[in-house]
Amino acid sequence: MNEERKVALVAGANGVIGKNLIEHLETLPGWRVIGLSRRGGPGQIAVDLLDADDTRAKLGGLDDVTHVFYAAYVDKPTWAELVAPNLAMLTNLVDAIEPAAPGLRHISLMQGYKVYGAHLGPFKTPAREDDAGHMPPEFNVDQQEFLDKRQAGKSWTWSAIRPSVVGGTALGNPMNLALAIAVYASISKELGLPLRFPGKPGAYDSLLEMTDAGLLAKATVWATGSENEAYNIANGDLFRWSDLWPRIARYFDLEVAPPLPMSLDVVMADKEELWTSIAAKYGLDVPYSAVSSSWGFADFVFGWDYDMFADGSKARRAGFHEYTETSAMFFRLFDEFRKAKVIP
């Protein structure tokens, strides 16, 4: 394929995953990038993917798109309620783009370990791409089944990318663990408190992994050369909070006290006034609303009192050999937050 023909459509452009994917694509020769998000932004199309008419109106003229990278997500209170809107958004996007873009070559679907039932409780580890499914509801599975059926007899292919918890710098995102930790540590320091691990008993010693957003972007683009395959993508190392948490505390010049189970979503609900004073004191550029959207997700992650990791060897066997150290990823992200005046 001629390099000038590569036009990427990235759904979920303002999220941790989509933001880093766009940044990576823009460094590659021969790619033109179009971002999609609900609220829009520089170089983006503001579109409500839940609205089929709006999606067709906004995307129906994009006749040169060759690659769709789908990383959009809408949150709902229950697993069952997640299915209909998240499947509808993907369906509406494909319904709009497929007939409009005759040169469409690949659709990349962003998933996660929920495919393996990781969100439900202890599951088989390391999880592998060909593991047996679990009882629905699960929108990740429904989305992949939709793409698989839709692709039959077509010239385009699909890939399903399955990261662990993703580390990135996007603000206002409901699933940014690194930001939640950084803000929690900053508030603890301002209050003169040690850094306590707030998760469930047992979660401190579980075996976990994460996925750097930059590494994930590279893997996502690499996988566009595959034909209808799913890949687990993670940093390549495993860790326990019991080892990493004291190192995070040292980064913030904090002492460590024994873990104490508490919901960050609850204990951080009244911290806006405190954060406003911290922001004024240190000249920070972001309001509390921009850094407090991930408390519920942090509670979810810190509640994993069981191992959470997958087998990434399928991607390595197929040719993707990138990796990064998880502790280095966290410290780099904290440095970036400080440089951007997000935290003191």
Side-chain angles (χ1 to χ4, degrees):
M1 183 177 64
N2 294 331
E3 285 192 347
E4 65 270 15
R5 290 290 312 282
K6 287 189 279 191
V7 178
L9 186 68
V10 180
N14 291 326
V16 172
I17 293 172
K19 174 177 176 288
N20 282 271
L21 177 57
I22 288 174
E23 291 174 355
H24 175 60
L25 285 166
E26 288 177 340
T27 69
L28 302 178
W31 284 91
R32 183 164 68 86
V33 184
I34 304 169
L36 304 180
S37 67
R38 183 185 295 270
R39 63 180 183 269
Q44 297 178 13
I45 297 174
V47 57
D48 182 3
L49 293 178
L50 284 170
D51 186 329
D53 292 336
D54 187 52
T55 304
R56 283 193 299 270
K58 300 287 182 59
L59 309 186
L62 302 179
D63 58 0
D64 56 351
V65 170
T66 59
H67 294 71
V68 171
F69 295 94
Y70 187 87
Y73 171 78
V74 60
D75 199 18
K76 293 293 178 181
T78 68
W79 302 123
E81 291 176 274
L82 285 169
V83 174
N86 282 286
L87 180 58
M89 289 195 301
L90 176 61
T91 301
N92 290 340
L93 188 153
V94 175
D95 283 348
I97 286 296
E98 189 181 28
L104 180 65
R105 295 178 62 90
H106 194 84
I107 297 178
S108 171
L109 174 64
M110 194 59 59
Q111 295 184 320
Y113 293 177
K114 292 184 182 70
V115 170
Y116 307 120
H119 57 305
L120 301 175
F123 65 107
K124 183 185 81 63
T125 54
R128 295 184 173 87
E129 291 87 347
D130 58 358
D131 283 350
H134 62 85
M135 184 69 70
E138 178 43 54
F139 75 89
N140 286 275
V141 174
D142 291 346
Q143 287 177 328
Q144 183 175 326
E145 289 180 349
F146 162 74
L147 279 185
D148 195 43
K149 291 178 181 177
R150 187 66 169 259
Q151 187 275 335
K154 308 292 179 59
S155 59
W156 56 269
T157 57
W158 59 263
S159 57
I161 309 302
R162 299 173 181 173
S164 183
V165 176
V166 178
T169 57
L171 301 182
N173 188 277
M175 294 188 288
N176 194 331
L177 181 67
L179 179 60
I181 292 174
V183 175
Y184 172 54
S186 300
I187 289 176
S188 295
K189 187 171 185 178
E190 190 69 16
L191 293 173
L193 299 173
L195 191 66
R196 291 184 183 269
F197 179 75
K200 286 183 180 178
Y204 204 47
D205 294 307
S206 296
L207 199 57
L208 311 172
E209 66 183 354
M210 285 191 65
T211 306
D212 177 73
L215 181 143
L216 179 60
K218 294 177 182 178
T220 302
V221 176
W222 163 82
T224 61
S226 65
E227 295 187 7
N228 311 335
E229 296 284 352
Y231 295 104
N232 295 327
I233 302 295
N235 287 348
D237 62 353
L238 301 176
F239 72 95
R240 303 181 197 275
W241 289 118
S242 56
D243 175 66
L244 183 56
W245 198 258
R247 298 171 68 188
I248 291 175
R250 286 196 295 273
Y251 176 93
F252 289 97
D253 297 319
L254 288 168
E255 298 295 324
V256 176
L260 180 64
M262 55 181 156
S263 167
L264 294 180
D265 205 27
V266 172
V267 301
M268 293 297 173
D270 67 342
K271 298 300 188 290
E272 182 170 5
E273 184 176 347
L274 174 60
W275 184 259
T276 300
S277 69
I278 292 173
K281 180 178 179 180
Y282 295 100
L284 307 183
D285 292 335
V286 294
Y288 192 59
S289 60
V291 299
S292 61
S293 58
S294 299
W295 297 130
F297 180 66
D299 286 341
F300 178 55
V301 173
F302 293 147
W304 293 338
D305 52 0
Y306 49 90
D307 292 347
M308 174 72 69
F309 64 97
D311 179 2
S313 64
K314 179 181 177 181
R316 291 195 296 274
R317 290 193 301 272
F320 184 75
H321 299 157
E322 297 275 349
Y323 63 91
T324 191
E325 184 182 8
T326 296
S327 59
M329 177 199 76
F330 269 114
F331 301 143
R332 173 177 52 79
L333 292 174
F334 297 156
D335 286 345
E336 290 180 18
F337 288 141
R338 279 181 166 168
K339 183 178 180 180
K341 293 290 186 179
V342 175
I343 60 172

